[in-house]
């Protein structure tokens, strides 16, 4: 069996005073550790690595010093399991800095003349967190009580031009036209629909972005989560909002849909604020990973 000489790191999170209370007060079972009962990839139990002198902990499981490798389906399942674990702990703590998939901190290689001199993975991780505690703690404090929402808004091109072709126009009675003329007219209608949808999308983009920014604390443009034939993009964005403002964002989108029946809205979340964290801590953690063959 491969020896566990590395830590698979899921996230950094606040080490709350109430968690310390639970350790000191076994008579208070309602005060649970943020990782209690949480499992991660392949059902592995998770634990917290606490860092004395800081208010930060790391969510980890013990692991062999080798990155996970598998088929696309297997990697997709692992990523989903990691996300579920992070979201469970985030719900308990209210703030979290997630790592990406396959972030490992390994034991430090020992010099040949001092086989036992290398630092353990846990020591390397705690020393790094101690060095960066002020920055990490500031990020966690700034994201406390916040969540990420994702909004995709499109315009249905068919709905935009519905009813424009009357029965007295050739578009409204194409049966007597040749096949070639019908194809030409279909292309013309498609071109008109694209233009109309594009003009509407441009107008709605500026208006909706402004409305969302009156609620959101931060806004990041994203690529669309998926594309649908016959739709024109208005905006695809990640929003950083306070939890109490989620319903307000929903109201903005509901009002938009009521005013513009051709609009299609996909509203996802709430999630940990994946799109709004400083990624420097991820890069540093990745530097402590074992060398890949």
């Amino acid at each position: 069996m491969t020896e566990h000489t590395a830590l698979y790191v899921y996230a950094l999170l606040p080490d709350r005073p109430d968690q310390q209370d639970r350790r000191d007060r076994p008579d208070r079972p309602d005060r649970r550790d943020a990782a209690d009962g949480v499992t991660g990839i392949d059902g592995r139990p998770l634990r917290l690595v606490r860092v004395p002198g800081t208010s930060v902990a790391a969510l980890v499981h013990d692991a062999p010093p080798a990155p996970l490798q598998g088929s696309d389906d297997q990697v997709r399942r692992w990523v989903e399991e990691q996300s579920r674990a992070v979201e469970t702990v985030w719900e308990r703590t209210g703030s979290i800095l997630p790592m990406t998939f396959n972030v490992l901190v390994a034991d430090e290689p020992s010099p040949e003349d001092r086989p036992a001199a290398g630092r353990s993975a846990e020591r390397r991780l705690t020393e790094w967190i101690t060095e960066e505690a002020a920055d990490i703690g500031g990020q966690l404090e700034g994201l406390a009580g916040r969540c990420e929402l994702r909004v995709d808004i499109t315009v249905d091109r068919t709905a935009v031009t519905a009813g424009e072709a009357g029965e007295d126009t050739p578009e409204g009675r194409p049966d007597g036209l040749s096949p070639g003329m019908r194809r030409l007219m279909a292309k013309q209608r498609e071109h008109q629909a694209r233009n109309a949808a594009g003009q509407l999308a441009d107008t709605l983009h500026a208006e909706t972005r402004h409305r969302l920014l009156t609620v959101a604390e931060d806004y990041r443009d994203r690529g669309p989560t998926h594309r649908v034939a016959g739709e024109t993009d208005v905006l695809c964005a990640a929003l950083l909002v306070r939890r109490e403002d989620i319903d307000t964002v929903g109201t903005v989108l509901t009002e938009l849909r009521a005013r513009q029946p051709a609009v299609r809205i996909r509203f996802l979340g709430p999630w940990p604020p994946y799109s709004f964290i400083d990624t420097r801590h991820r890069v540093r953690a990745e530097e402590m990973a074992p060398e890949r063959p």
Side-chain angles (χ1 to χ4, degrees), residues 10-11 79-88 90 96-100 143 146-150 220 222 238-240 270-279 281-282:
Y10 287 68
V79 170
E80 290 174 354
E81 290 171 343
Q82 177 166 329
S83 297
R84 281 197 297 270
V86 168
E87 289 168 20
T88 297
W90 170 64
I96 204 163
L97 299 181
M99 294 290 181
T100 54
L143 294 172
R146 274 69 176 171
C147 64
E148 178 170 331
L149 303 175
R150 295 185 189 172
R220 301 285 171 86
R222 296 177 49 86
L239 309 177
L240 181 69
W271 292 319
Y274 294 106
S275 301
F276 299 93
I277 60 175
D278 188 329
T279 58
H281 67 278
R282 290 177 174 172

Side-chain angles (χ1 to χ4, degrees), residues 8-194:
Y8 188 106
V9 186
Y10 287 68
L12 305 176
L13 58 142
D15 195 10
R16 301 285 189 195
D18 62 337
Q19 295 169 354
Q20 181 65 46
D21 290 347
R22 180 183 181 276
R23 295 195 297 277
D24 296 340
R25 295 281 306 277
D27 59 314
R28 294 291 302 277
D30 55 311
R31 298 285 184 96
R32 62 180 176 178
D33 185 298
D36 278 358
V38 182
T39 58
I41 291 171
D42 289 335
R44 293 170 181 166
L46 303 189
R47 64 183 179 92
L48 296 185
V49 172
R50 292 189 162 87
V51 185
T54 78
S55 59
V56 179
L59 181 67
V60 307
H61 75 239
D62 299 293
L68 292 169
Q69 299 182 53
S71 65
D72 289 347
D73 286 344
Q74 193 170 31
V75 169
R76 192 176 298 110
R77 174 175 61 81
W78 286 334
V79 170
E80 290 174 354
E81 290 171 343
Q82 177 166 329
S83 297
R84 281 197 297 270
V86 168
E87 289 168 20
T88 297
V89 174
W90 170 64
E91 291 285 355
R92 294 180 179 181
T93 62
S95 186
I96 204 163
L97 299 181
M99 294 290 181
T100 54
F101 177 68
N102 246 345
V103 171
L104 286 168
V105 175
D107 285 0
E108 186 175 48
S110 302
E112 292 183 3
D113 58 338
R114 291 186 297 159
R119 293 174 298 167
S120 69
E122 188 156 327
R123 182 179 172 186
R124 296 181 74 197
L125 180 59
T126 57
E127 287 180 354
W128 164 62
I129 292 175
T130 300
E131 292 172 7
E132 303 292 334
D135 178 64
I136 295 170
Q139 289 189 63
L140 288 168
E141 183 177 352
L143 294 172
R146 274 69 176 171
C147 64
E148 178 170 331
L149 303 175
R150 295 185 189 172
V151 178
D152 287 6
I153 303 176
T154 61
V155 170
D156 185 319
R157 294 195 288 269
T158 301
V160 169
T161 56
E164 290 187 1
E167 293 183 0
D168 294 333
T169 64
E171 292 90 339
R173 45 179 178 78
D175 293 342
L177 301 177
S178 67
M181 183 58 70
R182 285 199 294 269
R183 286 193 297 270
L184 176 61
M185 294 180 64
K187 289 181 179 180
Q188 289 176 339
R189 288 195 297 273
E190 181 181 356
H191 181 71
Q192 291 168 355
R194 285 182 180 275

Side-chain angles (χ1 to χ4, degrees), residues 215-257:
V215 183
E217 294 186 348
D218 202 351
Y219 176 108
R220 301 285 171 86
D221 288 312
R222 296 177 49 86
T225 53
H226 65 285
R227 293 190 177 276
V228 176
E231 294 184 2
T232 296
D233 293 335
V234 174
L235 64 80
C236 304
L239 309 177
L240 181 69
V241 302
R242 297 178 301 172
R243 280 185 170 271
E244 57 265 34
D245 291 332
I246 294 174
D247 288 345
T248 306
V249 174
T251 299
V252 170
L253 299 175
T254 299
E255 291 174 351
L256 171 63
R257 182 70 177 85

